[in-house]
Amino acid sequence: MTSLERTSPTAWIGAELASLKEQSLLRVSYEIEHRFGCEISLGGRKLLLAASNDYLGLSTDPRVREAAADAARRWGGGSSASPLVSGYSELQSQLESEIASFKGCDDCVVFSSGYLANIGTITALVGKGDVVFSDELNHASIIDGCRLSGAEIRIFRHSDPENLDTLAKKGGYRRGLIVTDGVFSMDGDLADLPAITEVAERYSLMTMVDDAHGTGVVGPTGRGTAEATGLEGQIDIVMGTLSKALGSAGGFVCGSSDIVSWIRNRARSFIFDTAPAPAALGAARVALRIAEEEEWRRERLRSMRDEITRSLSAEGIELPALAAAIVPLVIGDAERALRAADYLRELGVFAPAIRPPSVPEGTSRIRLSLMATFDNSHRELLVTAVTELARRYMTEPAAPVCGATGLKGTNTS
């Protein structure tokens, strides 16, 4: 074979892509033409957006948009440097103080994304000779942080504190960290934080909660899963994002002054990353204030969730107990889930199929995300569409959340 006849070293990629397509696992991005609050324009059609993490509807709030524009006008389009060089602005400092106060913690550090916050924090806290205990259905950013840390990873069954206790009892580590989602992003259920903290106290383990889907949504005042479970001030590390209920972009980690100082000095995804853009910081500050002051948004969101659950139950569609604003409709087969998502679009609802590796094999689904800005017509459309979807694609009783199926999640691979 001559050099001209050699196979391209990247030829395998095409074959792998073809394999993904054959398995109905190839991902594509949908090009949204315009967004009108909780509605979007796609392919020239206006659709209800039921696939957004903008739970409180703040990303398009005029006050948040103006705050973003004002910050960009004053500070520029980007921060231009890492936070420990010259990228750390007064805006970031103020936001960190405000988030720390909101979460009831001593201090806070803001990252440019939630993914980087999890990776940086876990790798700063544990390493070789340590153990990290991770719920099997934790988010990919937690999984990657665990892997990158070099610590031994012990995966406990979803929301199973007895299994966690068994794994912790084995010992054999210098330091230990228990990390869990607060609200699980694909099932909408709440972590059993009281039981987790009991295990942590029993074995002197650190606790970390990813509160991305709980911040601004759960708890009496929206302070998240620790508040919802009566454990404010008792979780060592509280992580969250600015990109969901707060309608901006970025991530944060709260804790004691010493923990936050350690993260600033040891989290590589903070030290070596450009600081967040001023527009994101400015938007998040105003969104946080609105989230605190406008309780009607949480009340509306909870009411919407409960009304939809009752309406679907009346149609024979039983859902698991939902803690936040996430409604999982488990379909099973990936190809079938794709067809279900297409059918929903025909009915006027945009909610793409969620398939492996985002969820375990055999649990592909439609993941509906509710927004406080849905009105009664949106609710009625959603209930009608899901009822029609169930008749066509969920002919058997609705599947339980994947934590109850006994299937391993993406944490295991």
Side-chain angles (χ1 to χ4, degrees):
M1 179 181 292
T2 68
S3 59
L4 293 177
E5 296 173 324
R6 288 175 184 162
T7 302
S8 167
T10 60
W12 64 272
I13 296 176
E16 291 293 331
L17 288 172
S19 176
L20 288 176
K21 186 174 182 179
E22 177 68 22
Q23 299 172 71
S24 298
L25 297 178
L26 187 66
R27 311 299 182 91
V28 297
S29 295
Y30 295 89
E31 186 176 333
I32 308 300
E33 297 151 354
H34 194 72
R35 182 172 170 194
F36 317 87
C38 57
E39 297 179 335
I40 60 169
S41 175
L42 179 67
R45 294 181 62 212
K46 186 176 284 189
L47 304 171
L48 175 63
L49 178 59
S52 165
N53 295 325
D54 188 14
Y55 301 124
L56 300 182
L58 292 176
S59 71
T60 57
D61 185 282
R63 294 163 292 180
V64 174
R65 294 169 68 170
E66 181 56 33
D70 183 65
R73 284 191 292 263
R74 180 180 176 189
W75 294 92
S79 60
S80 303
S82 61
L84 297 183
V85 179
S86 64
Y88 189 74
S89 67
E90 179 184 44
L91 267 179
Q92 184 163 345
S93 176
Q94 291 168 338
L95 177 60
E96 289 172 345
S97 295
E98 290 157 2
I99 293 174
S101 176
F102 178 68
K103 286 291 188 178
C105 296
D106 293 342
D107 203 356
C108 171
V109 55
V110 167
F111 292 72
S112 57
S113 78
Y115 210 106
L116 294 178
N118 270 337
I119 289 176
T121 299
I122 294 170
T123 55
L125 293 173
V126 291
K128 188 175 181 180
D130 302 327
V131 170
V132 58
F133 302 89
S134 178
D135 188 290
E136 66 177 334
L137 296 184
N138 275 339
H139 188 265
S141 56
I142 295 176
I143 297 168
D144 289 349
C146 293
R147 290 170 173 167
L148 289 169
S149 72
E152 178 188 347
I153 304 170
R154 297 182 187 175
I155 299 167
F156 60 94
R157 290 191 294 269
H158 179 55
S159 289
D160 188 340
E162 291 184 5
N163 183 232
L164 171 61
D165 185 276
T166 298
L167 295 175
K169 191 182 298 182
K170 294 179 180 180
Y173 48 86
R174 178 185 58 168
R175 290 193 292 264
L177 169 69
I178 303 173
V179 58
T180 180
D181 280 6
V183 174
F184 288 85
S185 61
M186 290 298 130
D187 294 305
D189 57 326
L190 200 67
D192 189 351
L193 293 190
I196 287 173
T197 56
E198 286 181 11
V199 174
E201 290 173 7
R202 193 174 301 131
Y203 300 102
S204 297
L205 302 169
M206 297 178 286
T207 52
M208 177 177 172
V209 174
D210 177 338
D211 213 18
H213 295 273
T215 298
V217 177
V218 302
T221 62
R223 282 170 164 76
T225 52
E227 181 189 36
T229 53
L231 291 170
E232 280 190 293
Q234 298 180 55
I235 305 297
D236 295 312
I237 302 101
V238 177
M239 174 270 176
T241 64
L242 309 177
S243 56
K244 295 177 175 60
L246 298 183
S248 182
F252 63 83
V253 176
C254 296
S256 69
S257 298
D258 282 351
I259 287 174
V260 172
S261 181
W262 180 253
I263 291 170
R264 289 182 188 276
N265 281 273
R266 285 293 182 267
R268 293 171 65 84
S269 58
F270 173 79
I271 298 168
F272 299 105
D273 184 47
T274 298
L281 299 170
R285 290 192 66 204
V286 171
L288 180 62
R289 175 176 56 78
I290 296 172
E292 289 188 89
E293 294 175 353
E294 297 185 356
E295 176 61 27
W296 69 263
R297 293 178 183 271
R298 270 179 297 283
E299 292 174 354
R300 175 65 176 166
L301 190 60
R302 293 163 184 161
S303 174
M304 180 71 61
R305 176 196 64 202
D306 294 343
E307 289 172 9
I308 288 173
T309 300
R310 282 194 297 270
S311 297
L312 292 177
S313 178
E315 297 291 340
I317 304 167
E318 296 299 329
L319 297 170
L322 304 176
I326 298 163
V327 182
L329 303 172
V330 179
I331 305 296
D333 175 75
E335 192 275 334
R336 189 176 177 85
L338 282 174
R339 287 191 282 116
D342 290 342
Y343 185 58
L344 270 184
R345 282 198 297 279
E346 291 178 16
L347 298 175
V349 176
F350 181 71
I354 306 295
R355 297 158 288 157
S358 300
V359 292
E361 291 285 348
T363 68
S364 292
R365 67 197 61 192
I366 302 297
R367 173 191 179 270
L368 302 177
S369 297
L370 309 182
M371 294 175 64
T373 47
F374 284 2
D375 61 25
N376 290 336
S377 67
H378 295 135
R379 185 196 70 219
E380 292 170 6
L381 170 61
L382 199 57
V383 169
T384 299
V386 171
T387 301
E388 291 297 319
L389 178 78
R391 289 171 181 161
R392 179 173 294 199
Y393 291 98
M394 299 171 69
T395 54
E396 297 178 0
V401 295
C402 47
T405 64
L407 296 172
K408 293 291 186 180
T410 54
N411 207 344
T412 61
S413 58

